[in-house]
Amino acid sequence: MTDMKTQYAGLALRNPIIVGSSGLTIKAERNKEFEKAGAAAIVLKSLFEEQIEMHGNSLLQETDYPEAMDYIHQYVKANQVNKYLDMIKATKDTCSIPIIASINCYKADAWIEFAQQIELAGADALELNIFYMETSLNYDFEATRDMYINIIRKVKETVRIPVMVKLGKYFSNIPSAINTLKVNGADGVVLFNRFYQPDIDINTQQIVSGNVFSNHSDLSDTIRWTAIVSGLIPGISIASSTGIQEWEDVIKCILAGADAVQICSALYTHGPEIITQILRSMEEWMQYANYESVSQFTGLLNYANIKNPAMYERSQFMKYFSNRD
Ligand SMILES: Cc1cc2nc3c(=O)[nH]c(=O)nc-3n(C[C@H](O)[C@H](O)[C@H](O)COP(=O)(O)O)c2cc1C
């Protein structure tokens, strides 16, 4: 008998598979299909802080970028805030697994009060996708760090449900950033968000969207940082995300220290059945490897538990490349 249960940021999950936030998680009926296929939790599509603040008529003076304003206005129209609360309620009425709401934000601003409405609508947890790309030549590291701290502190003062932070991978010191979030109240982290990938069409000489979906080559960073953060910051819950395409990837992330994983691209490609297949193959692997529960192998290969932690570091890089002609 295999026990697939796991604890993630205070949520008791029946197994480690979470459906990541995307357009796939916008409808209660489809969320039910994910639940039926075996998903342990669902992260709803993100609401943007701009949407919340425009709804309250509190933000957005005209900027120097009318195109951006047009885009935001259109987006807001199509995705009203009340619809978001309805989506939470409808999904909660339809599904019995934990439902995680998601907000894409970059300021500790008026939108934070709305987090309470999310909690009242029945969300079991809140994921903050803090999306901020620093390009200033006068970059002020402390101001950026304070922004993250302010967001997590204020949200934690506002709600009682668990709060996770979904991060991009471009911090200069990921463990330090995550430790700061933990100290300031974060219940868990999602490693990582995958940013929009710009590309250039040389025929039209225009900027175009690159591949929206991840692939296996994205997984390595996810494994590395899951392992390092899990080893260095005991007690922070980790959901690995980006590049997880099949069951072996889930096992790898759990061995590296993930309490759960989030999948998105694989669901776009294969549909909900991929969750059933992943769970079945995981059970077979656990029997083969003599594990009765997921907790028995969680973090076995994290930074603290392997003999040579440098396997995740610079010296391994030197060894690998210096041995190649
Ligand atoms: C079409 C699409 C829409 C997405 N929308 C959101 C979103 O609203 N909020 C969010 O936090 N992440 C969003 N993501 C990112 C995914 O949740 C996930 O972090 C990313 O795709 C990496 O996981 P994967 O390798 O399993 O695809 C989106 C991804 C895709 C492909």
Side-chain angles (χ1 to χ4, degrees):
M1 196 45 198
T2 41
D3 175 5
M4 304 288 273
K5 288 195 286 299
T6 184
Q7 288 281 332
Y8 167 58
L11 300 175
L13 303 185
R14 59 179 172 168
N15 66 60
I17 312 293
I18 299 175
V19 177
S21 174
S22 83
L24 288 177
T25 60
I26 214 158
K27 291 203 178 102
E29 309 78 59
R30 190 152 47 189
N31 290 336
K32 185 70 187 173
E33 283 174 34
F34 290 130
E35 176 177 291
K36 280 190 191 152
I42 293 170
V43 188
L44 300 176
K45 170 92 182 139
S46 300
L47 191 65
F48 283 72
E49 74 170 57
E50 287 88 342
Q51 292 176 273
I52 302 166
E53 302 210 332
M54 282 181 82
H55 183 75
N57 290 329
S58 58
L59 187 81
L60 281 177
Q61 289 97 36
E62 292 299 317
T63 70
D64 292 330
Y65 302 101
E67 305 88 328
M69 286 302 296
D70 280 346
Y71 172 75
I72 291 172
H73 279 298
Q74 270 178 20
Y75 196 91
V76 168
K77 221 170 145 190
N79 298 271
Q80 292 122 13
V81 166
N82 289 338
K83 275 194 187 161
Y84 199 78
L85 297 175
D86 290 344
M87 175 174 67
I88 297 173
K89 287 180 198 149
T91 302
K92 281 299 291 177
D93 286 347
T94 316
C95 300
S96 51
I97 54 175
I99 300 303
I100 304 171
S102 166
I103 296 184
N104 184 310
C105 57
Y106 68 101
K107 287 192 265 87
D109 231 326
W111 71 264
I112 286 179
E113 285 161 29
F114 179 74
Q116 208 169 28
Q117 292 187 51
I118 282 182
E119 182 172 31
L120 288 172
D124 297 285
L126 175 59
E127 185 177 288
L128 302 176
N129 179 347
I130 305 183
F131 181 84
Y132 183 74
M133 202 168 272
E134 181 57 69
T135 53
S136 165
L137 296 183
N138 304 314
Y139 171 63
D140 176 354
F141 166 77
E142 292 198 348
T144 305
R145 195 197 53 195
D146 289 350
M147 177 198 70
Y148 279 80
I149 293 175
N150 280 340
I151 292 175
I152 189 68
R153 274 199 192 153
K154 288 199 177 162
V155 173
K156 285 293 288 184
E157 280 165 16
T158 308
V159 296
R160 273 177 289 177
I161 49 178
V163 180
M164 305 80 162
V165 180
K166 185 176 189 181
L167 295 168
K169 57 181 156 187
Y170 302 112
F171 282 92
S172 52
N173 185 336
I174 290 170
S176 158
I178 292 174
N179 197 43
T180 303
L181 289 170
K182 184 189 167 206
V183 169
N184 286 282
D187 297 284
V189 285
V190 182
L191 305 179
F192 294 102
N193 189 24
R194 185 168 182 272
F195 292 136
Y196 159 77
Q197 313 277 309
D199 198 357
I200 291 179
D201 181 333
I202 58 167
N203 295 318
T204 59
Q205 297 182 38
Q206 299 282 330
I207 313 285
V208 293
S209 169
N211 202 344
V212 180
F213 301 124
S214 69
N215 57 58
H216 257 127
S217 65
D218 290 303
L219 185 67
S220 189
D221 279 333
T222 304
I223 291 176
R224 180 205 311 273
W225 289 110
T226 296
I228 292 176
V229 171
S230 156
L232 288 180
I233 313 175
I236 189 80
S237 246
I238 304 172
S240 295
S241 164
T242 293
I244 297 163
Q245 314 292 338
E246 51 199 17
W247 68 271
E248 288 100 328
D249 305 338
V250 180
I251 304 274
K252 289 176 192 178
C253 290
I254 295 172
L255 283 166
D259 301 292
V261 302
Q262 294 191 2
I263 54 176
C264 175
S265 296
L267 290 168
Y268 272 99
T269 313
H270 304 290
E273 313 78 61
I274 186 78
I275 300 174
T276 320
Q277 287 168 24
I278 287 175
L279 288 169
R280 198 179 304 126
S281 299
M282 279 179 70
E283 268 196 76
E284 283 168 14
W285 180 84
M286 283 170 65
Q287 279 159 12
Y288 154 82
N290 275 328
Y291 290 122
E292 284 168 8
S293 68
V294 167
S295 59
Q296 284 179 322
F297 65 98
T298 303
L300 275 190
L301 297 182
N302 80 8
Y303 195 66
N305 289 336
I306 56 172
K307 277 199 192 119
N308 180 11
M311 291 296 285
Y312 288 115
E313 287 176 354
R314 176 183 161 83
S315 56
Q316 193 59 18
F317 171 85
M318 290 162 62
K319 190 171 142 199
Y320 182 74
F321 285 103
S322 54
N323 284 342
R324 290 192 87 100
D325 297 326

